[in-house]
Amino acid sequence: MKTLATLLIMITLLLSGCGLKQGVETSAQKAYLYFSGDTDDVLVSIDNGEPFEVKEGRENQYSIKPGKHLIEISKDGEIIIKREIYVGDGIAKEIEVR
C-alpha cells in the first residue's frame, strides 16, 4: 500500500510539471489623433517634431504613443493652437482646428 501511494504521488508530481505554459501577448501601445475643422494649409508638430500636413476627418487618424504630448498647429507661419494633451492607449483624440 505504501508503494502504491508513493507511486501515485510520483506520477502526480511528474504530470503536474508537464502542463501547457502559455504567455500573455500584448500588442504595442498606440493612440491616435484626428483633426476636424479648417485643416487647409495647416502644419502640425507633435512634441516639437517635424511639422506635417494633416487631412480633416475621423477616417484620417495619425498614430502616436499613448501619454502626454505637446501639439502645435500653425497656419501661414503663425501658431494658432498650442496645447498639451493626454491620450490613453487605444484612444482616438479629436483636435479641432478653428
Side-chain angles (χ1 to χ4, degrees), residues 34-83:
Y34 66 97
F35 299 86
S36 63
D38 184 15
T39 60
D40 293 335
D41 302 319
V42 299
L43 293 175
V44 175
S45 173
I46 300 174
D47 298 328
N48 298 314
E50 188 68 31
F52 59 95
E53 293 181 4
V54 295
K55 293 182 180 179
E56 189 266 339
R58 188 175 179 94
E59 64 278 359
N60 297 308
Q61 295 185 2
Y62 300 86
S63 177
I64 61 172
K65 290 184 179 180
K68 191 169 24 171
H69 297 281
L70 176 65
I71 306 297
E72 291 183 352
I73 301 175
S74 59
K75 187 170 191 166
D76 299 325
E78 179 184 338
I79 294 177
I80 58 173
I81 296 175
K82 185 174 184 175
R83 184 183 313 159

Side-chain angles (χ1 to χ4, degrees), residues 20-26:
L20 177 62
K21 306 279 192 257
Q22 281 186 321
V24 176
E25 289 185 33
T26 59

Side-chain angles (χ1 to χ4, degrees), residues 8-18:
L8 286 175
I9 291 173
M10 294 297 283
I11 290 173
T12 303
L13 290 174
L14 179 65
L15 291 177
S16 66
C18 296

